[in-house]
Amino acid sequence: MDKNAPIKVYMTRRLIGVEPGDSVKRACEVMVDFDIGSLVVVDGKRVVGFFTKSDIIRRVVIPGLSNETPVEKIMTRELITVDVNTPLRDVLDRMAKKGIKHILVEENGEIVGIFSLRDLLSASRRRLETAIAAE
Amino acid sequence: MAMMRIAHISDTHITGESAYKGYAYDLIVNEINRLDFDLVIHTGDVTNQGLREEYERATYELKKINKPLVVLPGNHDVRNVGYKLFEKFIGPLNGVREFKEGAIIWVDSTIPDLSDGRVGGHKFKWLKRTLEEYSERKFKIVASHHHLLPLPDTGRERNVLYNAGDVLGLLLLHDVNLYACGHKHVPNVYRVEDMVVDNAGCTSCRKTRGGDVNSYNIITLHDDGRIDVKIRRVTGEEVVRSHRPTRPKIFVPKGERLLRIVHMSESNVSDRVYFRRKVLENAIRMINERFKPDVVVHCGDVVDMGIERYYERARELHRKIEAETIVVPGHNDITYLGYDLFEEYFGEPGIKSKGGFTFIPVMSAQYETPIGVVGRIGQEKLRKLLEEYADTFTVVLMHHNIVPIPRSREIGFLEDAGDVLRTLTEEGAGLVLTGHGGNSFAARVDETPVINAGSISWELHRNPFGNSFNVIDIYRDMVVAFEIQATWGSGRLLGMWARKPLTPRP
């Protein structure tokens, strides 16, 4: 891991999303289908919102909202973003300060990627695999 | 609006001998001087043997170009310790030239007295640092002598960049817009993801391929991010390729998933310590219970060696896969008695149609060598099949990787990779799945996503993620590929591409 490399090297450059009018149920199906913990909300080509699995627990399940609620009602509208050229170290610092595990990455005012803490965990997964793989 | 126009020349092979065609050089240089170019790039093999007299003449010939010039060394320039003369007569072997909104970074990829290439450790780090430094520039161009992707019409795939996979990975991660190179004397343009790979032919060497003529390429950078590359031959014939990067890449899943493929490779079933039986069993359980694919594809090296005991174990383990399975042999599978055993235990792979999908297995493994080949007749057969099934979504399966794989030493594992890649891209194969090299990698070349699987259960792999397999989901308008960690089931996105429309049957 190179802490000085720009976040574009580590981010996922492809985003999976739903539309503002889609239901929370539909969003959950997409999350399960793609095994991802967050989704962007897209209006046309523009990202207008973002939410994570834990947002669904906090904003839908606990208050007892219907899973037919449109995602625009529960999404985060004020997006926390970093520029695509920000060094990894600064991105991690910002995530720690904001207490978040996912951050959106922008380039020229457009959201072009997402970085998640779990992107950094591949080495430990590999080590744990080796530890239990031996016969 | 055109922001910048670059003339890309290469392989001039300047010498007093007959290899050099002075009239072709003068013809092209006069044209470059006459037309509106901001810059000229020469991607190496300025001289024929790296000799002093050739460098002296080259200095004189290069002065005829009256535009700003970037020149980098080729394998011929560093023969006979020519790398010292290159620095003395021409300039630095590596460097950066900035321009408004962009930078050209050139890297010496040569190895003295060898035709193969390498961007060695120090240069690789320098390239990485330099790409970080110029990260914010709109246009990043990297230029080197050796080709990154196998080229058609070059005969046997060789003289490759040993770390082509690492270099390709690095350039893609840093959003490089264009890679310019020469070396094989074949002009060609590919698009890998959003990067244009621009190969110049030869400007003034006698050695052209298949009776081709001398040529140069014209690169045009546009304000809106579009890049055009025009191959211009001395006969006046022109071929233009244009690319505009798609950004952002957002996928809003619509409609049902049409097909789910699990793509694996290198089980390497054996009684050796490197074979991880538990990992394979876990992965198969996960595939059956969680992923429930429509088809499982195993791209070779089912066993570590072609012997009866291993084949028996492999069949026993793979029988547990509930979905329909297609297995193509890898080079390990056909060692010793493997040719016969593979057929006995897994059957000869054949065309399989499923809904609107056609699976086309290609035999690339050769007896007792890791080097694979499809062959000229095999290529023709593949082309005909892709034409025949053009109204379906075609999935081509083979063992050997065609696109270089990061962390693997590239030696041209598929002997005729250049011609095979052309067949696949020209015929617009829907998807190509391979499984050599022990690491996962996915990149779309032109319109065709090419995905390599890492090793599912062999400890000798090159994948920082560990043992893994891929899950590929096909929707009406998209193809999405994930890599799944074979033990823990955690996934990461390998790629996501818009599907091109199918050719209707006439």
Side-chain angles (χ1 to χ4, degrees):
Chain A
M1 196 178 68
D2 178 358
K3 292 187 210 65
N4 294 318
I7 194 64
K8 70 165 121 180
V9 170
Y10 293 100
M11 71 182 188
T12 301
R13 287 146 189 274
R14 289 159 171 89
L15 297 161
I16 297 173
V18 288
E19 288 170 349
D22 283 337
S23 66
V24 168
K25 179 169 183 284
R26 171 70 191 145
C28 289
E29 284 165 359
V30 172
M31 281 179 166
V32 170
D33 258 7
F34 291 88
D35 193 22
I36 45 177
S38 66
L39 285 174
V40 290
V41 182
V42 196
D43 196 0
K45 279 208 128 186
R46 217 165 54 86
V47 176
V48 294
F50 176 76
F51 60 91
T52 64
K53 272 182 194 166
S54 71
D55 290 336
I56 292 180
I57 296 172
R58 279 187 282 116
R59 297 174 196 169
V60 182
V61 180
I62 295 175
L65 291 186
S66 149
N67 66 4
E68 293 300 331
T69 310
V71 292
E72 62 187 334
K73 293 263 193 288
I74 62 120
M75 68 188 188
T76 305
R77 285 168 193 275
E78 277 159 30
L79 304 177
I80 302 172
T81 65
V82 283
D83 185 80
V84 75
N85 296 308
T86 317
L88 175 64
R89 144 200 322 276
D90 299 351
V91 175
L92 293 175
D93 190 46
R94 191 165 155 82
M95 289 171 84
K97 284 188 179 128
K98 294 270 179 192
I100 51 176
K101 297 187 205 71
H102 305 76
I103 196 159
L104 294 168
V105 183
E106 76 178 321
E107 184 176 27
N108 304 323
E110 261 181 340
I111 306 290
V112 294
I114 182 166
F115 173 74
S116 155
L117 272 189
R118 85 171 185 179
D119 295 342
L120 295 181
L121 299 177
S122 54
S124 53
R125 288 198 183 112
R126 187 197 60 227
R127 274 196 298 274
L128 292 169
E129 175 177 71
T130 302
I132 66 156
E135 294 276 323
Chain B
M1 223 173 72
M3 198 193 88
M4 174 130 173
R5 271 161 56 92
I6 302 169
H8 174 195
I9 60 173
S10 199
D11 298 81
T12 46
H13 290 263
I14 296 168
T15 175
E17 291 164 22
S18 66
Y20 175 55
K21 287 158 81 176
Y23 59 93
Y25 182 85
D26 286 342
L27 192 75
I28 288 175
V29 167
N30 285 338
E31 184 173 301
I32 289 172
N33 286 340
R34 208 170 56 240
L35 298 176
D36 171 29
F37 287 110
D38 302 288
L39 185 77
V40 179
I41 306 182
H42 188 318
T43 47
D45 285 359
V46 181
T47 67
N48 199 42
Q49 293 291 344
L51 302 173
R52 173 179 283 272
E53 67 208 37
E54 291 176 348
Y55 272 111
E56 281 166 355
R57 172 137 185 214
T59 315
Y60 164 76
E61 299 288 352
L62 290 177
K63 276 201 184 114
K64 290 179 181 170
I65 300 171
N66 59 25
K67 312 261 165 169
L69 181 63
V70 167
V71 189
L72 56 96
N75 55 306
H76 283 259
D77 298 318
V78 302
R79 287 186 180 174
N80 305 307
V81 197
Y83 47 91
K84 286 191 175 167
L85 299 172
F86 188 94
E87 285 186 294
K88 186 172 164 205
F89 284 94
I90 293 178
L93 297 162
N94 306 287
V96 183
R97 187 182 180 98
E98 298 180 10
F99 57 91
K100 187 177 156 252
E101 293 198 75
I104 295 172
I105 303 165
W106 73 92
V107 190
D108 170 14
S109 62
T110 65
I111 307 169
D113 295 330
L114 284 187
S115 301
D116 308 274
R118 172 179 65 210
V119 176
H122 294 288
K123 275 181 285 190
F124 191 85
K125 280 187 194 138
W126 172 81
L127 178 60
K128 189 165 165 286
R129 274 200 317 274
T130 312
L131 284 168
E132 283 168 15
E133 191 182 329
Y134 289 93
S135 185
E136 287 178 46
R137 299 280 174 132
K138 183 168 173 183
F139 288 103
K140 291 168 285 285
I141 296 177
V142 172
S144 231
H145 182 62
H146 289 84
H147 59 291
L148 266 189
L149 282 190
L151 282 174
D153 291 330
T154 56
R156 161 100 167 77
E157 171 66 357
R158 61 192 192 290
N159 300 175
V160 290
L161 195 64
Y162 286 151
N163 53 348
D166 287 332
V167 174
L168 179 62
L170 181 75
L171 302 189
L172 291 176
L173 280 180
H174 283 272
D175 284 337
V176 169
N177 310 71
L178 183 130
Y179 177 75
C181 59
H183 186 54
K184 287 283 203 166
H185 298 200
V186 171
N188 191 75
V189 186
Y190 270 130
R191 196 186 79 212
V192 186
E193 294 289 311
D194 273 333
M195 179 171 78
V196 177
V197 178
D198 151 46
N199 263 91
C202 75
T203 299
S204 55
C205 181
R206 196 163 292 282
K207 190 172 151 189
T208 54
R209 315 247 181 203
D212 200 359
V213 296
N214 294 112
S215 63
Y216 74 108
N217 290 358
I218 297 172
I219 304 163
T220 311
L221 310 180
H222 296 270
D223 278 341
D224 60 2
R226 197 176 86 226
I227 294 181
D228 300 333
V229 178
K230 185 193 283 177
I231 297 168
R232 184 164 159 80
R233 291 184 159 84
V234 285
T235 47
E237 192 197 334
E238 291 184 338
V239 184
V240 190
R241 297 287 308 270
S242 183
H243 176 59
R244 186 201 302 269
T246 15
R247 245 177 239 141
K249 293 178 171 63
I250 305 179
F251 176 39
V252 178
K254 290 264 191 271
E256 291 292 297
R257 184 173 69 218
L258 302 178
L259 191 82
R260 168 169 277 181
I261 305 171
V262 159
H263 169 211
M264 61 170 84
S265 179
E266 298 184 1
S267 304
N268 278 323
V269 175
S270 62
D271 54 16
R272 297 178 67 187
V273 287
Y274 306 117
F275 168 58
R276 294 169 158 179
R277 182 184 54 83
K278 281 201 290 192
V279 176
L280 183 60
E281 283 174 344
N282 268 336
I284 290 175
R285 196 175 312 118
M286 202 179 343
I287 290 164
N288 287 338
E289 289 170 10
R290 182 169 146 210
F291 292 103
K292 301 183 172 62
D294 301 292
V295 182
V296 173
V297 165
H298 192 302
C299 286
D301 292 356
V302 181
V303 291
D304 174 46
M305 277 185 276
I307 58 175
E308 196 116 31
R309 276 187 306 119
Y310 291 178
Y311 266 105
E312 255 167 37
R313 283 188 83 179
R315 187 169 61 182
E316 200 182 304
L317 286 162
H318 281 275
R319 250 188 198 151
K320 293 181 187 143
I321 299 174
E322 285 163 11
E324 189 177 353
T325 309
I326 309 173
V327 188
V328 285
H331 64 283
N332 284 353
D333 296 319
I334 58 166
T335 50
Y336 307 104
L337 263 182
Y339 252 129
D340 304 277
L341 294 174
F342 187 87
E343 270 200 51
E344 275 174 45
Y345 283 81
F346 289 96
E348 195 184 344
I351 307 279
K352 199 156 273 182
S353 294
K354 205 174 172 61
F357 296 84
T358 310
F359 292 85
I360 304 175
V362 173
M363 174 72 179
S364 63
Q366 299 190 86
Y367 193 44
E368 308 283 359
T369 167
I371 303 290
V373 66
V374 174
R376 291 197 294 267
I377 297 171
Q379 287 162 31
E380 213 32 59
K381 217 174 120 194
L382 174 61
R383 186 180 288 277
K384 289 215 176 86
L385 286 169
L386 288 168
E387 277 167 12
E388 190 184 334
Y389 292 102
D391 61 338
T392 67
F393 186 96
T394 46
V395 185
V396 175
L397 319 170
M398 59 194 292
H399 174 62
H400 290 86
N401 60 294
I402 305 174
V403 174
I405 305 299
R407 291 187 173 79
S408 136
R409 182 182 173 100
E410 180 60 36
I411 54 168
F413 282 108
L414 187 65
E415 203 174 289
D416 47 1
D419 292 330
V420 174
L421 184 58
R422 173 176 58 188
T423 306
L424 294 167
T425 53
E426 272 184 4
E427 296 300 331
L431 182 64
V432 178
L433 304 180
T434 63
H436 180 80
N439 199 357
S440 63
F441 191 60
R444 182 165 71 172
V445 183
D446 286 353
E447 296 295 328
T448 300
V450 183
I451 308 177
N452 195 67
S455 164
I456 189 167
S457 53
W458 188 238
E459 192 177 0
L460 306 180
H461 64 70
R462 302 182 171 84
N463 191 344
F465 200 50
N467 287 117
S468 73
F469 58 89
N470 302 333
V471 171
I472 299 156
D473 287 343
I474 302 168
Y475 291 80
R476 192 169 44 80
D477 53 349
M478 296 292 288
V479 176
V480 186
F482 292 93
E483 178 179 20
I484 310 295
Q485 222 283 345
T487 301
W488 308 115
S490 43
R492 66 186 189 106
L493 194 59
L494 273 184
M496 194 164 84
W497 308 275
R499 253 181 77 173
K500 75 173 187 60
L502 298 172
T503 316
R505 208 179 273 264

